[in-house]
């Protein structure tokens, strides 16, 4: 999935046509999860999306850019309909989203475990309460650039955003 394809070329053309602008805050939040990250299994990826708009939207695709050269891409076609003010999720085959980034490579070598990849920041105090005792582990994040392509289904307006995703890692604290 890491090779340049006709789809990759079309995505670059679309980026120019839609003038993707880096965003601090987008109306469509999403997170990827996979038990394969912690267990070395073949499990797929689960994507959960939250639509903060008042209209239904379709998440068309998310494209990860390689942090090393900024050119290689991993396109994830989705076509996921998300209701207004609501959530939707989809299971897809496993795609390696861990390649092409020095921060991710270094963090995985240091015995950190990837928990999720999302376009929002986790609140560490809330995350700790959900998972386990706040003194038992630490959180670390790496950043990568993605292009998020979604369509407002009420107006058919297409949105292409260049934004960051955060790779959220956890590790047990040595006592």
């Amino acid at each position: 999935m890491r090779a340049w394809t006709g789809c990759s070329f079309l995505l670059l053309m679309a980026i120019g046509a839609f003038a993707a602008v880096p965003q601090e805050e987008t109306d469509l939040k999403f997170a990827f999860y996979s038990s394969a990250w912690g267990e070395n299994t073949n499990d797929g990826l689960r994507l959960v999306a939250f639509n903060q708009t008042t209209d239904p939207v379709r998440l068309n695709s998310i494209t990860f850019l390689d942090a090393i050269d900024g050119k290689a891409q991993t396109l994830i076609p989705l076509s996921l309909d998300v209701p207004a003010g609501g959530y939707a999720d989809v299971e897809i085959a496993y795609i390696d989203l861990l390649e092409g980034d020095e921060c991710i490579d270094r963090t995985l070598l240091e015995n950190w475990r990837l928990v999720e990849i999302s376009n929002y920041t986790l609140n560490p105090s809330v995350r700790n309460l959900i998972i386990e005792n706040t003194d038992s582990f630490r959180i670390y994040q790496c950043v990568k650039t993605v292009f998020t392509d979604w369509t407002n289904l009420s107006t058919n307006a297409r949105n292409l955003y260049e934004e960051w995703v955060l790779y959220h890692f956890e590790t047990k604290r040595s006592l």
Side-chain angles (χ1 to χ4, degrees), residues 71-103:
K71 295 178 183 173
Q73 302 177 10
T74 301
L75 172 66
I76 303 173
L78 295 163
S79 193
L80 176 65
D81 290 353
V82 189
Y87 291 89
D89 67 323
V90 64
E91 298 274 341
I92 59 176
Y94 185 78
I95 299 169
D96 187 0
L97 299 176
L98 306 178
E99 293 180 5
D101 187 279
E102 185 271 331
C103 178

Side-chain angles (χ1 to χ4, degrees), residues 11-23 145-149 159-163:
L11 179 66
L12 285 177
M13 296 303 291
I15 290 166
F18 288 97
V21 177
Q23 299 291 308
T145 301
V146 299
F147 290 104
T148 306
D149 180 357
N159 300 278
L160 184 64
Y161 291 108
E162 177 181 355
E163 59 185 321

Side-chain angles (χ1 to χ4, degrees), residues 152-169:
N152 179 315
L153 296 175
S154 295
T155 64
N156 285 327
R158 190 167 172 201
N159 300 278
L160 184 64
Y161 291 108
E162 177 181 355
E163 59 185 321
W164 287 345
V165 290
L166 298 170
Y167 284 66
H168 303 277
F169 295 92

Side-chain angles (χ1 to χ4, degrees), residues 26-81:
T26 60
D27 291 325
L28 189 61
K29 301 295 183 191
F30 61 84
F32 286 97
Y33 304 93
S34 180
S35 57
W37 294 330
E39 307 299 326
N40 294 327
T41 65
N42 293 3
D43 295 350
L45 293 174
R46 178 175 182 230
L47 172 74
V48 177
F50 175 58
N51 175 5
Q52 299 182 100
T53 73
T54 57
D55 295 316
V57 301
R58 175 170 296 131
L59 179 54
N60 302 312
S61 65
I62 299 171
T63 303
F64 286 72
L65 296 184
D66 187 343
I68 293 173
D69 66 11
K71 295 178 183 173
Q73 302 177 10
T74 301
L75 172 66
I76 303 173
L78 295 163
S79 193
L80 176 65
D81 290 353

